[in-house]
Structure formats: structure tokens, C-alpha cells
């Protein structure tokens, strides 16, 4: 088997651009543009002095308009034992009924005997931006008595999506916009035992952290008191480190100091302890999402109660695009290189496995 | 039976007091087993139930245990309250349900329970039965993870295999995860599944007392009990309560509206402890015993190792026993006959031998006698001979004498002349 060396991180393609959440740079002091955004996109350091306003930075606006027109895809997979609140969390994240359970919900659905892969797609719109969200659910994971290799169907599915994309890419007459069904993000739900990771968790993450972006979350974290929470998180982090499991955001893909510091902060807070709810309650004269118990209301969006808002901001508001990029540039490329390298093992593509266009007969 | 009226105070109403005093002196034993996946709060619940730290803070938690196989560990503790001693044994099952492949993780548990039954059976059959400690498992608390959906396949398998060996009481662990509505739905779902799979959990006995039966009905509606455990004391509105402190409130352990912990404690310790022991003794132990003894008499070998279910009805079992008994009898008969024959042969042989011996001796004696006879004859002959000789000699002598006298006469006649 040939050595698989993940290719160098290619420079980011011009489309799509990084969301502009960076602080205005101070490296170019005399650009008399209305605001200092986008200065980074053209390369840091002293550029040549500009004597007037050219308007290069409007490329951001143009990109934005384009993206709004085309919309984009996002595929999220949720993995965990049944009853950990996966569907509820996804509903809460996207503030709508997008999970599998909402479309065909029945409480006494029997636990399937093998792991199944079920995906549900919705198009949601916000501020003129359309997103085709696909939620891939894995009922039956970890529920059997014998859970050997229950990650295999999942691994197979992920690779199948890569394969589909590869086939489309390798066509002579390529589609203008290849439908992207690759899994961009996998939320792995950890059961809140308060002690440590289960054997099954470690096995799954070991097998899949190199193939897809895994974000571990602690499910139903309203079981844990604050002390128990911090202790548990520390233990989980230590165990993941000890087993060599790299979750998203991976340390090796940090590009510069800013990225690193941002991501470090996030890594310190991971795994996020979340609570999901799609019911609203009245509290402090506001209607908030929460869970009502006889001893109080657990507010989902209150950072003192749980880290749901952190997760949402991280996943959607700051790193959504990054998730897609890492999937495309790193995981997909790894798969592609592997596929094209060992042609003999898997189904070969119609002709020689070089980087040439082939006809799809 | 006649029920005569007593005309005065006899005093046997004091009998319960005597029993009470004796039992208090003897002390009580109770064995409780807790089964469930790691992290469901079993140790915390035990500590809360008995208000002691049976599992101290430095008891190695599941993260430090090697989760290779399911272990069965027991810890004994002696607690006293109001002069009553209780030897409490807690049996823990670390590693249950934690591996990736959990097939047969119930086997060590079943083996443990059976071994305790066997110990008791042997102790009962001994000659000296004075010290008979009762180490049988009286109650098994099974912890169900609060998924909110239903029972997992592992739960169902375990309870199916253990419901006729021990009193199984299912509990919903970490119940502060569930809102009251979710809890209700979950309980209903669990009870439905338990009935579907025909699992026999511990049933509270019906009493004739009206008040008690109302209480029992209330408890039955709440099954399975949703519990929360904690030994941390927190102050709420000026009261000190045991509970768990969250940013949004305090979940009180002993508050009936928050969880069913008090129901469990009352049921387990205050009202039904003796009943649990009785059911263990009368039902589960008897089942084990009859299975084991039937196996031994049937085959002469201990077949209790392979635990098949008793698939024959009692009548068929009796019929078979009878047939076997008859066969055994026949066998014994033939055996005895054989033995008899053998003995007869032996005896005959012996007799023959002794007869031969006698014959021989007879012969010998005869010979001896003949020899003696011959000797005697010989002697007699000799004697006769001698006698004849002697007589002859005597005669000769006489003759000589006569002759001599005759000659003398002659001589006298003649001679008188001289």
C-alpha cells in the first residue's frame, strides 16, 4: 500500500472567501477606504502605497452577492446512542424542525438492528442567503448488545460521498456546480457519565477523525453540575490526547497566529456541554428556549447554563465555511490521492489513474 | 378449627415481642446488588440510600478500572441504628455494558447469584446447621439510562435472564435529566416494553390493609422509580437538603416532586426489606433448589452447569421421575439377583471344598485306623504266637515234668530198691 501523505494545504481558492470577522488591520495606514476590511485578503505586510481609492476591496461585496445567488450546501452528520438528544439539538441549532424525527416522528420507533444512515434535507433561508442543509442521522449506532464495527456503515457512507464527488470532478463535461453531498461536519454525542469516554467512543473517533471533521459534544449536559462538567471535560480532553485523536479544529491546519489563538480558545472549551430544546418557556418576561424542571428552567442559550450558544457560534457563525474548506481541501484530497494512487485495490476509474480528464462512459 | 374465646389474659400476645427481641439480638443481613453501565450514579445512590460513604471518594471510579471483563465485587458493611444491627452487603458489577461487545456480560452476574444459592444449599444440607449465614442476593437494582425513549436491547436481555433468579427492581438513573412529562412518557414506555417481553420485575405484595394497599398502588403507578442520588448538603430557602446544585436551581433528592428517591428508600428499607428476603427465600431459592436437585437425581451428575429452562410441565416431570424410579428398581433387582447368584455359587463352592476336605480327612483317619488295626493284629498275633510258644513251652515243661515224675515213679517202683 503506498504511503498516504496528505497533500500540502493548497492556498485557499479565491471563491469562497473567508468571512470578514478579522479586526481592521493596521498594516496599511494610508488607504483612505471607508473601512479597513479586506486588507488581509491581499496579503499582509507593506504593500505598495496606493495613491487613491481603487476599489479592490469591493471584491468581497461581489463575492457576497454571488454566494447569495447560488446559495450553498451544508451537510452535518449526527452520531451517538439513541436518546442522547441528537435530533433535538439539530432542531435547536437551526431553529427549525429539520431533523429526521420531525419528518417521521414516532416515539416508539424500535431501535434498528443495524446502523442505518438516514438523511433529510431542507432549504433554509436567512437574510437572503439560502442554505441547503442536510442532516444525516445514524439510528442504531451503539445501541446493540454487540457493537463491534458499528462505525463501518458510517465510514462507508462518508467514503461513498467522496467517491461520488470524485466521479463528478473527473468527468470531461463537468457540471457547473457539483452537488456537494460530502459530510462537512460530524457531531459526536458523548454520554454524560461524568467519568470518562466509553470504549465505543474512542474506537469510533479513532477510525473516523482522519476522514471527517469530528466535533465532540457532551449531550444532555443538564445532568452535570458545574464542577462535574469541568472535571469531565478535562478527562475527555486528556483521553482524546492520549489516544491521538484530533478533533476539529485540527491543530495541524492552523494557518497563522490568529487562527491558532482563536482555535486554541475553542479547543480549551471543547467538548461543548450542550442542552437542546425546541420548546419555549417564559422566564424573566422573555420567551426563551429551555427545559422546564420542577427546580428551575434550563435556558439553552444562557452561557451560564450550557454551552449551546458557544457551539452554535463556533459552528455556524464563525467556522461554517472553514468546515467546508477543510473537508474539501484536506479530507477529500486525502481520499482522492489514496484512490488515484492505489488503483488496483478499489474499483478503478475507467482509464489510467492520472490527473487527466476521462470520459464517463 | 375451633376458635374459643379467651376468658382472661393469657399472654401469648407477647409472642411478637419475643420474636422481635430475638431477631434484634441476632441482627439482620441484607444483600443488595447494583447493576448498570458506568456513570449512571450507582455508587452515589447507594451512598445516599444508606447515608454513609460505602464508596469513599478514593474508591477507584470506572475511569480507572480496567474494563476488560465484567467483575463482581462485594463490599460488606455493618450499620447500626436504634439497637438494630444490619450486615449490609453491596454487590457491584463494574464493567457491565461498557465494552464494545457486551454479549454475555450478564454471565458473571448469573454465576455469582447461583454460587450464593449453592453455598446456601450446601449449608442447609450439612449436619451442623447452626451458623448459616444468608449471603443470597435479596434484591437487584437495575439502572436504566435516561434516554427518554425506551429500553435498550442490553437492558431487555439482562432482565429476561435474571428475573427468575433474583428480585429485579428497575430504576431510571440520573432522573434529573428528564422533565416531568418526559419522565412520565419514559416510564410508560418502559412498563410497556417490560410487559411485552414478559419480564417479571419485583411485585409488591397486596395487603389486606386498606391504607397500605393504597400506598402500594401509588408505588406501582410510579414504577420504574426515577431516582437522583446525592450526599452533598445544600441550603435551599434556609433549609438544608441533600441535592445537586445547578445554575438554574437545586434538584432535591428527598423531594417527592423532584424524584422518586424517597419512595425507593422507604420501599427498600422501611417497608419491604423483609418481603424481599422472603421472596428470595421462598421463590427464587426454591426454584434454584428444585432445578438443582432434579438435575442431580436425574442423571447422577451435576447438570446445573448448563442452565436450560425447565421445559417439561410438572406432570411430565413426575411421570418421567416415576419411570426412572421404576427403571432404577428393575436395575437394582437384577443387580441383587446377580449378587445373590454369585453368593450362592460361592457358598456351594465352599461347601464342596469342605466336603472334599472332610472326605480326605475321613480317608486319612480310616487309613490311620486300619494301620492301627493292623498293628494291633500284628501285636495280637505276636502275642498269640508268644502265648502259643509259651503254652507250648509250658506243655513241654509239663510234659517234662510229667515225664520226670513218671520216671521217678518208675524209678521208685523199681528203685525202691536201691
Amino acid at each position: 500500500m503506498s504511503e498516504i501523505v496528505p497533500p500540502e494545504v493548497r492556498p485557499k481558492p479565491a471563491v469562497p472567501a473567508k468571512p470578514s470577522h478579522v479586526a481592521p488591520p493596521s498594516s496599511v495606514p494610508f488607504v483612505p477606504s471607508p473601512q479597513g476590511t479586506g486588507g488581509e485578503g491581499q496579503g499582509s505586510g507593506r504593500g505598495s502605497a496606493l495613491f487613491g481609492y481603487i476599489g479592490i476591496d469591493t471584491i468581497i461585496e461581489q463575492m457576497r452577492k454571488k454566494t447569495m445567488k447560488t446559495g450553498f450546501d451544508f451537510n452535518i452528520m449526527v452520531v451517538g446512542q439513541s436518546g442522547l438528544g441528537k435530533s433535538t439539538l439539530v432542531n435547536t441549532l437551526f431553529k427549525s424542525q429539520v431533523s429526521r424525527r420531525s419528518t417521521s416522528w414516532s416515539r416508539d420507533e424500535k431501535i434498528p438492528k443495524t446502523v442505518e444512515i438516514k438523511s433529510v434535507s431542507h432549504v433554509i433561508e436567512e437574510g437572503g442567503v439560502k442554505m441547503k442543509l442536510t442532516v444525516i442521522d445514524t439510528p442504531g449506532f451503539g445501541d446493540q448488545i454487540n457493537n463491534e464495527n458499528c462505525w463501518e456503515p458510517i465510514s462507508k457512507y462518508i467514503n461513498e460521498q467522496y467517491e461520488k464527488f470524485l466521479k463528478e470532478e473527473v468527468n470531461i463535461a463537468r457540471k457547473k456546480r457539483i452537488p456537494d453531498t460530502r459530510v462537512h461536519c460530524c457531531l459526536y454525542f458523548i454520554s454524560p457519565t461524568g467519568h470518562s469516554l466509553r470504549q465505543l467512543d474512542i474506537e469510533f473517533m479513532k477510525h473516523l477523525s482522519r476522514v471527517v471533521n469530528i466535533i465532540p459534544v457532551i449531550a444532555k449536559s443538564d445532568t452535570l453540575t458545574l464542577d462535574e462538567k469541568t472535571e469531565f471535560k478535562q478527562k475527555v480532553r486528556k483521553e482524546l490526547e492520549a489516544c491521538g485523536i484530533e478533533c476539529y479544529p485540527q491543530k495541524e491546519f492552523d494557518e497563522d497566529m490568529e487562527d491558532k489563538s482563536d482555535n486554541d480558545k475553542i479547543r480549551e472549551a471543547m467538548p461543548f456541554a450542550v442542552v437542546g430544546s425546541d420548546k419555549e418557556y417564559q422566564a424573566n418576561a422573555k420567551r426563551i428556549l429551555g427545559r422546564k424542571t420542577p427546580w428551575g428552567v434550563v435556558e439553552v442559550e444562557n452561557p451560564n447554563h450550557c454551552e449551546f450558544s458557544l457551539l452554535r457560534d463556533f459552528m455556524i457563525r464563525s467556522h461554517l465555511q472553514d468546515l467546508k474548506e477543510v473537508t474539501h481541501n484536506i479530507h477529500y484530497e486525502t481520499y482522492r490521492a489514496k484512490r488515484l494512487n492505489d488503483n488496483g485495490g478499489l474499483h478503478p476509474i475507467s482509464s489510467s489513474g492520472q490527473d487527466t480528464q476521462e470520459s464517463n462512459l | 378449627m375451633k376458635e374459643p374465646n379467651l376468658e382472661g389474659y393469657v399472654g401469648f400476645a407477647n409472642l411478637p415481642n419475643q420474636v422481635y427481641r430475638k431477631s434484634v439480638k441476632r441482627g439482620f443481613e441484607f444483600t443488595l446488588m447494583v447493576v448498570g453501565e458506568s456513570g449512571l450514579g450507582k455508587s452515589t445512590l447507594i451512598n445516599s440510600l444508606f447515608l454513609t460513604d460505602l464508596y469513599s471518594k478514593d474508591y477507584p471510579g470506572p475511569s480507572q478500572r480496567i474494563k476488560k471483563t465484567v467483575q463482581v465485587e462485594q463490599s460488606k458493611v455493618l450499620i447500626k441504628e436504634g439497637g438494630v444491627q444490619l450486615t449490609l452487603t453491596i454487590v457491584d458489577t463494574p464493567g457491565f455494558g461498557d465494552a464494545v461487545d457486551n454479549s454475555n456480560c450478564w454471565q458473571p452476574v448469573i454465576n455469582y447469584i447461583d454460587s450464593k444459592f449453592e453455598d446456601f444449599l450446601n449449608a442447609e444440607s450439612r449436619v451442623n446447621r447452626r451458623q448459616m449465614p444468608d449471603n443470597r442476593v435479596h434484591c437487584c437494582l437495575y439502572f436504566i439510562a435516561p434516554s427518554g425513549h425506551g429500553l435498550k436491547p442490553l437492558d431487555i436481555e439482562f432482565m429476561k435472564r435474571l428475573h427468575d433468579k433474583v428480585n429485579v427492581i428497575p430504576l431510571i438513573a440520573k432522573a434529573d435529566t428528564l422533565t416531568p412529562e418526559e419522565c412520565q412518557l419514559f416510564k410508560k414506555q418502559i412498563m410497556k416494553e417490560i410487559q411485552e417481553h414478559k419480564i417479571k420485575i419485583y411485585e409488591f405484595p397486596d395487603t389486606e390493609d386498606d391504607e397500605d394497599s393504597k400506598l402500594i398502588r401509588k408505588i406501582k403507578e410510579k414504577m420504574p422509580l426515577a431516582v437522583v442520588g446525592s450526599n452533598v448538603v445544600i441550603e435551599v430557602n434556609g433549609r438544608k437538603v441533600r441535592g445537586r446544585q445547578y445554575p438554574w436551581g437545586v434538584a432535591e433528592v428527598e423531594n417527592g416532586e423532584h424524584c422518586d428517591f424517597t419512595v425507593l428508600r422507604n420501599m427498600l428499607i422501611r417497608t419491604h426489606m423483609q418481603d424481599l428476603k422472603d421472596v428470595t427465600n421462598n421463590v427464587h431459592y426454591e426454584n434454584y433448589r428444585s432445578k438443582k436437585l432434579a438435575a442431580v437425581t436425574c442423571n447422577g451428575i451435576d447438570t446445573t452447569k448448563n442452565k436450560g429452562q425447565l421445559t417439561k410441565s410438572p406432570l411430565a416431570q413426575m411421570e418421567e421421575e416415576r419411570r426412572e424410579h421404576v427403571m432404577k428398581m428393575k436395575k437394582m433387582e437384577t443387580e441383587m439377583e446377580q449378587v445373590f447368584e454369585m453368593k450362592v455359587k460361592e457358598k456351594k463352592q465352599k461347601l464342596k471344598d469342605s466336603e472334599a476336605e472332610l472326605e480326605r480327612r475321613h480317608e486319612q483317619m480310616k487309613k490311620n485306623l486300619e494301620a492301627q488295626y493292623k498293628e494291633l493284629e500284628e501285636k495280637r498275633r505276636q502275642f498269640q504266637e508268644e502265648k502259643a510258644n509259651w503254652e507250648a513251652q509250658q506243655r513241654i515243661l509239663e510234659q517234662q515234668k510229667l515225664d520226670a515224675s513218671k520216671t521217678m515213679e518208675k524209678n521208685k517202683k523199681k528203685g525202691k530198691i536201691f
Side-chain angles (χ1 to χ4, degrees):
Chain A
M1 197 72 106
S2 54
E3 257 294 275
I4 294 145
V5 176
E8 306 270 63
V9 177
R10 290 195 193 158
K12 288 194 185 155
V15 178
K18 205 173 168 90
S20 53
H21 69 285
V22 297
S26 54
S27 56
V28 193
F30 41 81
V31 172
S33 55
Q35 48 208 24
T37 57
E40 198 208 291
Q42 314 298 328
S44 59
R46 314 248 158 235
S48 45
L50 298 171
F51 293 110
Y53 175 62
I54 302 178
I56 302 174
D57 53 357
T58 56
I59 189 162
I60 302 289
E61 235 347 89
Q62 299 168 28
M63 279 188 224
R64 203 171 76 82
K65 275 204 208 130
K66 258 256 161 72
T67 318
M68 273 177 66
K69 263 200 250 159
T70 51
F72 58 107
D73 300 335
F74 190 64
N75 306 322
I76 174 171
M77 177 184 260
V78 281
V79 184
Q81 290 184 317
S82 77
L84 283 181
K86 305 187 289 287
S87 313
T88 317
L89 188 73
V90 171
N91 285 350
T92 321
L93 267 175
F94 296 102
K95 286 233 172 88
S96 46
Q97 304 288 322
V98 289
S99 71
R100 168 184 67 97
R101 281 273 162 84
S102 333
T103 49
S104 60
W105 193 73
S106 77
R107 202 146 251 265
D108 18 286
E109 227 173 79
K110 296 271 182 225
I111 297 177
K113 293 286 166 181
T114 53
V115 180
E116 297 172 351
I117 310 271
K118 294 209 173 114
S119 77
V120 177
S121 294
H122 296 266
V123 175
I124 49 184
E125 188 175 325
E126 191 185 47
V129 179
K130 285 203 204 62
M131 176 163 97
K132 179 161 171 275
L133 172 71
T134 308
V135 177
I136 303 155
D137 202 350
T138 53
F141 179 84
D143 288 330
Q144 313 308 322
I145 294 178
N146 183 354
N147 290 315
E148 292 277 325
N149 299 330
C150 60
W151 49 81
E152 268 177 18
I154 298 174
S155 181
K156 206 169 82 149
Y157 177 82
I158 294 175
N159 286 336
E160 267 170 21
Q161 307 314 308
Y162 286 153
E163 182 70 27
K164 252 194 245 175
F165 196 84
L166 181 65
K167 281 217 171 76
E168 291 287 340
E169 221 186 26
V170 142
N171 253 338
I172 290 182
R174 280 210 281 221
K175 294 203 189 116
K176 189 158 152 199
R177 199 169 149 261
I178 305 176
D180 190 3
T181 55
R182 300 169 294 186
V183 178
H184 298 124
C185 164
C186 175
L187 282 179
Y188 187 76
F189 285 71
I190 299 173
S191 178
T193 60
H195 291 299
S196 64
L197 283 178
R198 306 177 75 220
Q199 199 57 28
L200 181 61
D201 302 340
I202 297 178
E203 285 298 318
F204 177 86
M205 288 202 265
K206 256 201 205 150
H207 281 96
L208 282 164
S209 59
R210 301 238 156 251
V211 181
V212 73
N213 298 320
I214 296 189
I215 299 181
V217 291
I218 299 177
K220 294 200 167 175
S221 68
D222 54 347
T223 316
L224 304 166
T225 61
L226 287 174
D227 297 325
E228 290 169 356
K229 226 190 275 194
T230 33
E231 232 188 274
F232 187 44
K233 281 216 253 187
Q234 259 182 353
K235 282 219 191 103
V236 171
R237 273 202 296 271
K238 257 198 234 148
E239 273 205 58
L240 288 177
E241 227 180 275
C243 297
I245 298 171
E246 277 269 4
C247 300
Y248 182 85
Q250 291 94 336
K251 285 205 186 103
E252 37 194 6
F253 307 140
D254 283 340
E255 284 174 15
D256 48 26
M257 287 312 293
E258 232 180 291
D259 265 356
K260 194 162 162 9
S261 66
D262 282 342
N263 288 346
D264 271 345
K265 267 194 238 131
I266 291 176
R267 273 180 230 129
E268 281 302 303
M270 274 176 89
F272 296 113
V274 296
V275 175
S277 168
D278 38 12
K279 294 204 183 70
E280 287 190 341
Y281 293 99
Q282 196 83 8
N284 304 337
K286 281 190 295 159
R287 290 203 64 82
I288 47 154
L289 282 177
R291 290 170 61 73
K292 185 157 206 274
T293 58
W295 48 90
V297 177
V298 187
E299 296 171 34
V300 167
E301 294 191 17
N302 184 336
N304 293 333
H305 288 192
C306 77
E307 292 166 0
F308 170 78
S309 33
L310 274 181
L311 173 71
R312 182 199 46 207
D313 292 344
F314 163 67
M315 241 180 72
I316 299 178
R317 294 182 190 174
S318 56
H319 283 69
L320 191 64
Q321 188 51 39
D322 193 46
L323 278 164
K324 289 180 65 158
E325 274 180 27
V326 172
T327 310
H328 179 71
N329 293 338
I330 294 164
H331 295 298
Y332 172 66
E333 290 299 320
T334 315
Y335 176 81
R336 187 169 170 277
K338 186 160 161 278
R339 267 299 258 115
L340 300 180
N341 254 335
D342 44 40
N343 215 354
L346 313 164
H347 311 292
I349 317 179
S350 347
S351 46
S352 67
Q354 290 305 311
D355 218 323
T356 55
Q357 316 265 358
E358 287 129 23
S359 68
N360 199 11
L361 288 166
Chain B
M1 234 170 56
K2 283 207 320 197
E3 284 191 19
N5 284 327
L6 301 172
E7 293 179 24
Y9 175 65
V10 180
F12 60 80
N14 215 18
L15 204 55
N17 288 346
Q18 297 174 25
V19 175
Y20 170 78
R21 253 179 284 136
K22 265 239 166 86
S23 329
V24 167
K25 247 201 287 174
R26 214 179 16 222
F28 295 90
E29 295 167 310
F30 192 68
T31 305
L32 180 65
M33 177 181 262
V34 280
V35 185
E37 297 173 354
S38 308
L40 283 182
K42 304 187 291 285
S43 318
T44 318
L45 188 74
I46 298 290
N47 283 349
S48 318
L49 268 177
F50 295 100
L51 284 178
T52 54
D53 273 337
L54 276 128
Y55 293 98
S56 61
K57 284 249 177 334
D58 29 82
Y59 182 74
S63 44
Q64 283 146 326
R65 292 196 206 120
I66 316 165
K67 309 164 196 155
K68 289 285 155 86
T69 48
V70 180
Q71 312 290 320
V72 181
E73 295 172 354
Q74 72 173 34
S75 31
K76 264 197 191 333
V77 85
L78 178 67
I79 42 184
K80 286 195 202 179
E81 190 186 56
V84 178
Q85 274 190 358
L86 175 67
T87 308
L88 179 69
T89 311
I90 305 284
V91 182
D92 199 355
T93 52
F96 181 85
D98 284 340
V100 178
D101 181 0
N102 290 314
S103 327
N104 294 328
C105 63
W106 47 78
Q107 200 55 43
V109 177
I110 293 183
N111 291 346
Y112 179 84
I113 295 177
D114 277 343
S115 78
K116 293 294 165 195
F117 277 155
E118 185 159 338
D119 289 345
F120 193 78
L121 182 61
N122 290 339
E124 222 183 24
S125 328
R126 275 211 295 258
V127 174
N128 181 7
R129 299 198 288 192
R130 199 69 65 77
Q131 320 288 73
M132 208 161 58
D134 186 4
N135 282 330
R136 301 170 291 187
V137 180
H138 299 119
C139 174
C140 175
L141 294 177
Y142 187 74
F143 286 70
I144 301 173
S147 65
H149 293 306
L151 288 176
K152 290 202 225 163
L154 179 62
D155 302 338
I156 296 173
E157 269 307 306
F158 180 86
M159 286 202 274
K160 262 189 129 146
R161 280 162 198 274
L162 259 90
H163 65 162
D164 49 7
K165 286 194 184 289
V166 73
N167 298 318
V168 175
I169 299 183
L171 299 174
I172 300 178
K174 294 199 166 175
D176 50 354
T177 318
L178 303 164
T179 63
E181 303 89 35
E182 289 170 354
C183 198
Q184 280 296 100
L185 279 167
F186 190 39
K187 284 187 187 184
K188 270 212 202 88
Q189 180 66 20
I190 292 181
M191 288 314 278
K192 200 170 91 160
E193 287 189 20
I194 284 181
Q195 271 162 15
E196 232 179 74
H197 293 271
K198 301 208 181 38
I199 296 173
K200 295 184 284 227
I201 56 176
Y202 174 68
E203 298 258 337
F204 296 92
D206 291 317
T207 56
E208 296 156 349
D209 196 353
D210 262 342
E211 256 199 49
D212 271 356
S213 63
K214 255 197 269 175
L215 211 67
I216 287 177
R217 232 176 301 134
K218 259 205 257 171
I219 298 179
K220 280 199 189 174
E221 279 170 32
K222 288 196 184 187
M223 290 286 276
L225 301 171
V227 291
V228 175
S230 170
N231 255 344
V232 176
V233 179
I234 303 172
E235 200 157 318
V236 172
N237 299 338
R239 303 176 291 137
K240 281 204 187 283
V241 285
R242 285 190 296 155
R244 289 172 63 73
Q245 172 102 53
Y246 294 110
W248 49 88
V250 175
E252 296 172 35
V253 164
E254 283 168 341
N255 186 333
E257 290 174 28
H258 289 192
C259 72
D260 298 329
F261 174 80
T262 29
V263 176
L264 173 69
R265 183 193 52 198
N266 291 346
M267 184 272 288
L268 190 61
I269 301 176
R270 294 182 192 176
T271 49
H272 285 83
M273 196 181 246
Q274 187 55 40
D275 187 61
L276 283 164
K277 288 174 76 166
D278 287 340
V279 173
T280 311
N281 189 31
N282 299 339
V283 178
H284 298 298
Y285 174 65
E286 287 301 317
N287 278 342
Y288 171 81
R289 190 169 170 275
S290 56
K291 266 194 221 164
K292 175 131 199 215
L293 293 183
V296 170
T297 52
C298 268
N299 305 344
I301 21 167
D302 191 349
T303 53
T304 54
K305 293 271 161 66
N306 46 335
K307 271 166 223 352
Q309 274 141 339
L310 218 54
T311 50
K312 313 182 193 110
S313 72
L315 282 171
Q317 178 79 358
M318 273 165 55
E319 192 48 45
E320 203 179 287
E321 272 186 359
R322 196 181 64 80
R323 249 182 284 133
E324 301 224 10
H325 187 78
V326 165
M327 258 173 56
K328 214 164 79 166
M329 284 295 140
K330 274 214 188 99
K331 207 166 91 170
M332 273 170 76
E333 225 178 278
T334 46
E335 255 177 49
M336 278 170 132
E337 269 181 26
Q338 270 180 11
V339 168
F340 182 67
E341 292 240 358
M342 220 174 64
K343 284 227 169 99
V344 163
K345 237 199 272 180
E346 255 183 54
K347 202 77 190 226
K348 269 200 183 139
Q349 188 68 22
K350 239 200 219 159
L351 281 173
K352 244 200 231 155
D353 279 345
S354 57
E355 214 180 292
E357 177 82 24
L358 272 172
E359 282 272 337
R360 202 173 46 83
R361 276 213 265 167
H362 184 78
E363 285 288 326
Q364 212 174 30
M365 270 190 153
K366 226 159 102 177
K367 272 200 191 115
N368 269 0
L369 269 172
E370 272 191 12
Q372 275 187 5
Y373 188 70
K374 269 203 186 113
E375 226 180 275
L376 268 174
E377 281 285 324
E378 184 79 30
K379 270 201 180 143
R380 182 193 264 194
R381 209 176 32 81
Q382 266 185 3
F383 179 67
Q384 294 276 38
E385 245 181 60
E386 270 183 28
K387 188 173 168 193
N389 275 357
W390 189 76
E391 277 195 356
Q393 270 189 351
Q394 282 295 104
R395 248 184 274 130
I396 290 175
L397 267 173
E398 280 230 343
Q399 195 65 32
Q400 280 184 343
K401 224 186 203 177
L402 210 66
D403 275 343
S405 72
K406 249 188 202 164
T407 40
M408 272 214 46
E409 283 252 331
K410 252 184 180 168
N411 284 346
K412 250 178 166 177
K413 281 182 186 168
K414 286 182 179 170
K416 276 197 177 180
I417 4 188
F418 342 119

